[in-house]
Amino acid sequence: MNKLRHNELSGEPGELLTVFDGGTWEDGRIAEIRLPPSEITAISFVTPARLPDLLSPTDARRALSALRARINGAGTALLENGRPIAPTVLDRLRVLSTAPPAYHYSWHPGEAPPGHDIAQVWAWAFAPDGRILVLLDPETGTAVLPGGKPESRDQGDPASTLRRESDEEAAAQLGTPLLIGHVADPSRPRVCLRYAAALTGMGPARPDPATGTTYTRILATPEQAVSLFDWGPHTSRQLAAVHQARQRLGIPRAARQAVTELTGTTSW
Protein backbone atom coordinates (compact mmCIF):
# COMPACT_ATOMS: atom_id res chain seq x y z
CA MET A 1 0.00 0.00 0.00
CA ASN A 2 1.52 3.28 -1.07
CA LYS A 3 0.54 6.52 0.73
CA LEU A 4 0.78 10.13 -0.42
CA ARG A 5 -0.59 12.74 1.96
CA HIS A 6 -2.98 15.30 0.50
CA ASN A 7 -1.49 18.10 2.58
CA GLU A 8 1.83 17.61 0.82
CA LEU A 9 0.10 18.66 -2.38
CA SER A 10 -2.65 21.08 -1.38
CA GLY A 11 -2.38 21.75 2.32
CA GLU A 12 -5.62 19.86 2.99
CA PRO A 13 -5.88 17.00 5.47
CA GLY A 14 -6.05 13.39 4.34
CA GLU A 15 -3.97 11.13 2.15
CA LEU A 16 -3.96 9.23 -1.10
CA LEU A 17 -3.48 5.48 -0.80
CA THR A 18 -2.77 3.07 -3.63
CA VAL A 19 -3.40 -0.67 -3.19
CA PHE A 20 -1.51 -2.98 -5.53
CA ASP A 21 -2.36 -6.60 -6.36
CA GLY A 22 0.60 -8.74 -5.30
CA GLY A 23 -0.68 -11.87 -7.01
CA THR A 24 -1.04 -15.32 -5.47
CA TRP A 25 1.86 -16.49 -3.32
CA GLU A 26 2.75 -20.16 -3.06
CA ASP A 27 3.99 -21.75 0.17
CA GLY A 28 7.65 -21.50 -0.84
CA ARG A 29 7.50 -17.77 -1.38
CA ILE A 30 5.57 -17.23 1.85
CA ALA A 31 8.28 -19.15 3.73
CA GLU A 32 10.87 -16.68 2.44
CA ILE A 33 9.22 -13.71 4.14
CA ARG A 34 11.51 -12.02 6.67
CA LEU A 35 9.98 -9.45 9.01
CA PRO A 36 11.76 -6.28 10.12
CA PRO A 37 11.91 -6.83 13.91
CA SER A 38 11.53 -3.16 14.76
CA GLU A 39 8.29 -2.75 12.76
CA ILE A 40 6.32 -6.01 12.39
CA THR A 41 6.02 -8.82 14.92
CA ALA A 42 3.94 -11.32 12.93
CA ILE A 43 1.85 -11.89 9.82
CA SER A 44 -1.20 -14.04 9.23
CA PHE A 45 -3.46 -14.97 6.33
CA VAL A 46 -7.18 -14.55 6.93
CA THR A 47 -10.40 -14.83 5.00
CA PRO A 48 -11.82 -11.54 3.66
CA ALA A 49 -14.83 -11.76 5.98
CA ARG A 50 -12.49 -11.43 9.00
CA LEU A 51 -10.96 -8.14 7.87
CA PRO A 52 -13.50 -5.91 9.69
CA ASP A 53 -12.51 -7.64 12.95
CA LEU A 54 -8.80 -6.98 12.42
CA LEU A 55 -8.57 -3.60 10.69
CA SER A 56 -9.98 -0.15 11.20
CA PRO A 57 -13.36 0.33 9.48
CA THR A 58 -11.84 2.43 6.69
CA ASP A 59 -8.97 0.02 6.04
CA ALA A 60 -11.35 -2.96 6.07
CA ARG A 61 -13.61 -1.25 3.51
CA ARG A 62 -10.58 -0.40 1.41
CA ALA A 63 -9.21 -3.96 1.49
CA LEU A 64 -12.59 -5.54 0.65
CA SER A 65 -13.14 -3.05 -2.19
CA ALA A 66 -9.71 -3.92 -3.57
CA LEU A 67 -10.49 -7.66 -3.45
CA ARG A 68 -13.80 -7.12 -5.24
CA ALA A 69 -12.06 -5.00 -7.88
CA ARG A 70 -9.56 -7.81 -8.39
CA ILE A 71 -12.37 -10.30 -8.98
CA ASN A 72 -14.31 -7.93 -11.21
CA GLY A 73 -11.29 -7.37 -13.42
CA ALA A 74 -12.34 -3.98 -14.78
CA GLY A 75 -9.13 -2.16 -13.90
CA THR A 76 -8.42 0.44 -11.23
CA ALA A 77 -11.21 1.18 -8.76
CA LEU A 78 -11.34 4.67 -7.28
CA LEU A 79 -12.44 4.91 -3.66
CA GLU A 80 -13.39 7.70 -1.31
CA ASN A 81 -12.99 6.89 2.38
CA GLY A 82 -12.77 3.23 1.39
CA ARG A 83 -16.00 3.27 -0.62
CA PRO A 84 -16.04 2.90 -4.45
CA ILE A 85 -17.00 6.03 -6.33
CA ALA A 86 -18.63 3.84 -9.00
CA PRO A 87 -19.74 0.71 -7.09
CA THR A 88 -20.23 -2.54 -8.97
CA VAL A 89 -22.82 -5.19 -8.20
CA LEU A 90 -20.14 -6.93 -6.09
CA ASP A 91 -19.74 -3.77 -4.01
CA ARG A 92 -23.47 -3.14 -3.74
CA LEU A 93 -24.08 -6.60 -2.29
CA ARG A 94 -20.93 -6.45 -0.13
CA VAL A 95 -19.56 -9.65 -1.64
CA LEU A 96 -16.82 -11.27 0.52
CA SER A 97 -18.08 -9.55 3.69
CA THR A 98 -19.77 -12.81 4.71
CA ALA A 99 -17.69 -15.99 4.71
CA PRO A 100 -18.97 -18.45 2.09
CA PRO A 101 -19.76 -22.01 3.18
CA ALA A 102 -16.63 -24.17 3.12
CA TYR A 103 -17.09 -27.20 0.86
CA HIS A 104 -13.63 -28.77 0.82
CA TYR A 105 -14.89 -31.97 -0.76
CA SER A 106 -12.90 -34.17 -3.12
CA TRP A 107 -13.65 -33.92 -6.84
CA HIS A 108 -14.41 -37.00 -8.96
CA PRO A 109 -15.28 -37.20 -12.66
CA GLY A 110 -18.35 -39.11 -13.78
CA GLU A 111 -21.42 -40.45 -12.05
CA ALA A 112 -22.09 -40.98 -8.36
CA PRO A 113 -20.82 -44.31 -7.02
CA PRO A 114 -23.40 -46.99 -6.18
CA GLY A 115 -25.04 -46.67 -2.78
CA HIS A 116 -24.53 -42.90 -2.52
CA ASP A 117 -27.41 -40.46 -2.14
CA ILE A 118 -27.53 -37.39 -4.37
CA ALA A 119 -27.77 -34.40 -2.03
CA GLN A 120 -27.50 -31.56 -4.55
CA VAL A 121 -27.38 -31.04 -8.31
CA TRP A 122 -25.69 -27.85 -9.52
CA ALA A 123 -25.00 -26.45 -12.98
CA TRP A 124 -22.22 -24.58 -14.67
CA ALA A 125 -24.66 -22.79 -16.97
CA PHE A 126 -22.86 -21.17 -19.91
CA ALA A 127 -23.91 -18.07 -21.80
CA PRO A 128 -22.81 -18.01 -25.47
CA ASP A 129 -19.76 -15.85 -24.62
CA GLY A 130 -18.36 -18.49 -22.26
CA ARG A 131 -19.37 -16.87 -18.99
CA ILE A 132 -21.49 -18.71 -16.46
CA LEU A 133 -24.52 -17.87 -14.39
CA VAL A 134 -23.82 -17.14 -10.70
CA LEU A 135 -26.46 -16.32 -8.09
CA LEU A 136 -25.71 -13.84 -5.29
CA ASP A 137 -27.72 -13.71 -2.09
CA PRO A 138 -28.90 -10.09 -1.77
CA GLU A 139 -28.63 -10.19 2.05
CA THR A 140 -25.17 -11.74 2.47
CA GLY A 141 -23.52 -11.45 -0.94
CA THR A 142 -22.61 -15.15 -0.88
CA ALA A 143 -22.50 -16.89 -4.25
CA VAL A 144 -23.97 -20.18 -5.47
CA LEU A 145 -24.38 -21.96 -8.76
CA PRO A 146 -27.95 -22.62 -9.90
CA GLY A 147 -29.31 -25.94 -8.70
CA GLY A 148 -30.59 -27.60 -5.57
CA LYS A 149 -32.01 -30.64 -3.84
CA PRO A 150 -33.79 -33.48 -5.65
CA GLU A 151 -37.51 -33.78 -4.96
CA SER A 152 -39.97 -36.62 -5.51
CA ARG A 153 -41.50 -34.85 -8.51
CA ASP A 154 -38.13 -35.14 -10.28
CA GLN A 155 -38.65 -38.93 -10.35
CA GLY A 156 -35.02 -39.68 -9.63
CA ASP A 157 -33.74 -37.79 -12.67
CA PRO A 158 -30.92 -35.35 -11.74
CA ALA A 159 -31.32 -33.46 -15.02
CA SER A 160 -34.96 -32.78 -14.11
CA THR A 161 -33.84 -31.51 -10.70
CA LEU A 162 -31.37 -29.21 -12.39
CA ARG A 163 -33.89 -27.72 -14.82
CA ARG A 164 -36.54 -27.25 -12.12
CA GLU A 165 -34.16 -25.65 -9.60
CA SER A 166 -32.55 -23.39 -12.21
CA ASP A 167 -35.99 -22.13 -13.20
CA GLU A 168 -37.18 -21.68 -9.59
CA GLU A 169 -34.01 -19.96 -8.33
CA ALA A 170 -33.00 -17.91 -11.35
CA ALA A 171 -35.75 -18.13 -13.99
CA ALA A 172 -33.05 -19.74 -16.14
CA GLN A 173 -33.68 -22.19 -18.96
CA LEU A 174 -31.01 -24.73 -19.84
CA GLY A 175 -30.13 -26.83 -22.84
CA THR A 176 -29.30 -30.52 -22.51
CA PRO A 177 -27.22 -30.94 -19.31
CA LEU A 178 -23.83 -32.68 -19.56
CA LEU A 179 -22.69 -34.53 -16.43
CA ILE A 180 -19.09 -33.64 -15.61
CA GLY A 181 -18.60 -35.14 -12.16
CA HIS A 182 -19.37 -34.93 -8.47
CA VAL A 183 -17.97 -33.90 -5.12
CA ALA A 184 -18.10 -36.40 -2.27
CA ASP A 185 -18.98 -35.66 1.35
CA PRO A 186 -16.39 -37.56 3.43
CA SER A 187 -18.67 -37.74 6.47
CA ARG A 188 -21.46 -39.74 4.85
CA PRO A 189 -22.29 -41.65 1.63
CA ARG A 190 -23.70 -38.77 -0.38
CA VAL A 191 -22.53 -36.69 -3.32
CA CYS A 192 -23.30 -33.42 -5.08
CA LEU A 193 -23.47 -33.71 -8.87
CA ARG A 194 -22.04 -31.09 -11.22
CA TYR A 195 -23.39 -30.56 -14.73
CA ALA A 196 -22.52 -28.20 -17.55
CA ALA A 197 -25.23 -26.81 -19.82
CA ALA A 198 -25.89 -23.98 -22.23
CA LEU A 199 -28.13 -21.18 -21.05
CA THR A 200 -30.97 -20.78 -23.54
CA GLY A 201 -32.98 -18.03 -21.83
CA MET A 202 -33.61 -16.00 -18.68
CA GLY A 203 -36.92 -14.69 -17.39
CA PRO A 204 -37.46 -11.85 -14.92
CA ALA A 205 -36.00 -12.48 -11.47
CA ARG A 206 -38.50 -13.79 -8.93
CA PRO A 207 -38.43 -15.27 -5.40
CA ASP A 208 -37.22 -18.82 -5.01
CA PRO A 209 -40.32 -20.70 -3.75
CA ALA A 210 -38.17 -22.76 -1.38
CA THR A 211 -36.49 -19.85 0.42
CA GLY A 212 -38.29 -16.66 -0.62
CA THR A 213 -34.95 -15.22 -1.79
CA THR A 214 -34.80 -13.28 -5.04
CA TYR A 215 -31.23 -13.87 -6.12
CA THR A 216 -29.15 -11.29 -7.92
CA ARG A 217 -28.00 -12.93 -11.16
CA ILE A 218 -24.63 -12.24 -12.72
CA LEU A 219 -22.56 -13.55 -15.58
CA ALA A 220 -18.93 -14.20 -14.64
CA THR A 221 -16.03 -16.13 -16.09
CA PRO A 222 -15.53 -19.53 -14.45
CA GLU A 223 -12.34 -18.16 -12.89
CA GLN A 224 -14.21 -15.20 -11.40
CA ALA A 225 -16.88 -17.57 -10.11
CA VAL A 226 -14.53 -19.89 -8.21
CA SER A 227 -12.96 -16.88 -6.48
CA LEU A 228 -16.38 -16.33 -4.84
CA PHE A 229 -16.54 -19.88 -3.42
CA ASP A 230 -14.57 -21.71 -0.72
CA TRP A 231 -14.10 -25.10 -2.31
CA GLY A 232 -10.61 -25.89 -1.09
CA PRO A 233 -7.72 -27.63 -2.84
CA HIS A 234 -9.87 -29.54 -5.34
CA THR A 235 -11.15 -26.38 -7.02
CA SER A 236 -8.59 -26.47 -9.84
CA ARG A 237 -9.56 -30.03 -10.81
CA GLN A 238 -13.22 -29.12 -11.04
CA LEU A 239 -12.39 -25.98 -13.02
CA ALA A 240 -10.37 -28.04 -15.51
CA ALA A 241 -13.35 -30.40 -15.95
CA VAL A 242 -15.63 -27.40 -16.49
CA HIS A 243 -13.49 -26.12 -19.34
CA GLN A 244 -13.40 -29.58 -20.93
CA ALA A 245 -17.21 -29.65 -20.80
CA ARG A 246 -17.37 -26.12 -22.24
CA GLN A 247 -15.35 -27.29 -25.24
CA ARG A 248 -17.65 -30.30 -25.70
CA LEU A 249 -20.62 -27.92 -25.72
CA GLY A 250 -18.93 -25.83 -28.43
CA ILE A 251 -18.79 -22.72 -26.27
CA PRO A 252 -15.77 -20.36 -26.48
CA ARG A 253 -13.57 -19.51 -23.53
CA ALA A 254 -14.74 -16.26 -21.94
CA ALA A 255 -12.56 -13.19 -22.29
CA ARG A 256 -11.52 -11.50 -19.07
CA GLN A 257 -14.09 -8.82 -18.35
CA ALA A 258 -16.20 -7.28 -15.62
CA VAL A 259 -19.14 -9.27 -14.29
CA THR A 260 -22.55 -8.38 -15.73
CA GLU A 261 -25.77 -8.22 -13.75
CA LEU A 262 -28.81 -9.75 -15.44
CA THR A 263 -31.94 -7.81 -14.56
CA GLY A 264 -34.56 -8.71 -17.15
CA THR A 265 -35.53 -11.23 -19.79
CA THR A 266 -32.77 -12.57 -22.04
CA SER A 267 -32.78 -15.16 -24.79
CA TRP A 268 -29.88 -16.67 -26.68
Side-chain angles (χ1 to χ4, degrees), residues 126 130 178 196 222 241-254:
F126 283 95
L178 174 65
V242 168
H243 280 299
Q244 291 174 359
R246 172 186 56 75
Q247 291 177 317
R248 290 175 61 186
L249 292 169
I251 296 172
R253 190 182 188 104

Side-chain angles (χ1 to χ4, degrees), residues 17 44 50 53 83 139 141-142 145 155 158 161 166-167 198 220 254:
L17 294 93
S44 62
R50 286 200 60 208
D53 299 327
R83 296 183 176 88
E139 297 297 326
T142 54
L145 295 175
Q155 299 182 336
T161 298
S166 296
D167 178 61

Side-chain angles (χ1 to χ4, degrees), residues 123-140:
W124 292 84
F126 283 95
D129 67 357
R131 291 186 292 172
I132 62 137
L133 175 64
V134 178
L135 310 182
L136 301 177
D137 188 310
E139 297 297 326
T140 65

Side-chain angles (χ1 to χ4, degrees), residues 154-168:
D154 303 325
Q155 299 182 336
D157 179 18
S160 295
T161 298
L162 193 63
R163 290 193 179 95
R164 175 184 54 77
E165 287 284 352
S166 296
D167 178 61
E168 291 179 352

Side-chain angles (χ1 to χ4, degrees), residues 36-266:
S38 61
E39 297 183 25
I40 302 173
T41 58
I43 64 170
S44 62
F45 292 87
V46 300
T47 60
R50 286 200 60 208
L51 292 175
D53 299 327
L54 302 172
L55 302 175
S56 69
T58 302
D59 283 344
R61 290 196 300 269
R62 186 177 294 117
L64 287 167
S65 294
L67 289 170
R68 294 180 195 120
R70 182 189 187 197
I71 294 171
N72 196 46
T76 301
L78 300 179
L79 313 178
E80 183 175 352
N81 198 28
R83 296 183 176 88
I85 293 174
T88 68
V89 62
L90 304 183
D91 297 309
R92 192 179 79 243
L93 298 186
R94 302 179 67 247
V95 168
L96 303 180
S97 296
T98 299
Y103 295 123
H104 295 182
Y105 298 160
S106 57
W107 169 257
H108 306 275
E111 298 180 356
H116 283 61
D117 294 329
I118 297 174
Q120 297 277 343
V121 185
W122 289 352
W124 292 84
F126 283 95
D129 67 357
R131 291 186 292 172
I132 62 137
L133 175 64
V134 178
L135 310 182
L136 301 177
D137 188 310
E139 297 297 326
T140 65
T142 54
V144 294
L145 295 175
K149 297 179 180 179
E151 297 182 4
S152 58
R153 54 180 159 162
D154 303 325
Q155 299 182 336
D157 179 18
S160 295
T161 298
L162 193 63
R163 290 193 179 95
R164 175 184 54 77
E165 287 284 352
S166 296
D167 178 61
E168 291 179 352
E169 290 182 341
Q173 293 81 53
L174 306 179
T176 302
L178 174 65
L179 178 66
I180 59 174
H182 62 275
V183 294
D185 184 343
S187 66
R188 65 187 88 177
R190 69 174 191 175
V191 300
C192 300
L193 298 182
R194 297 289 185 270
Y195 282 81
L199 275 170
T200 59
M202 300 281 296
R206 59 178 185 263
D208 178 2
T211 64
T213 300
T214 302
Y215 288 101
T216 298
R217 307 169 302 176
I218 64 171
L219 290 181
T221 68
E223 288 71 23
Q224 287 170 317
V226 297
S227 66
L228 301 173
F229 306 134
D230 183 7
W231 287 353
H234 293 271
T235 302
S236 59
R237 294 181 59 203
Q238 184 171 170
L239 188 59
V242 168
H243 280 299
Q244 291 174 359
R246 172 186 56 75
Q247 291 177 317
R248 290 175 61 186
L249 292 169
I251 296 172
R253 190 182 188 104
R256 182 172 174 80
Q257 58 192 290
V259 303
T260 300
E261 183 175 3
L262 300 172
T263 57
T265 299
T266 305

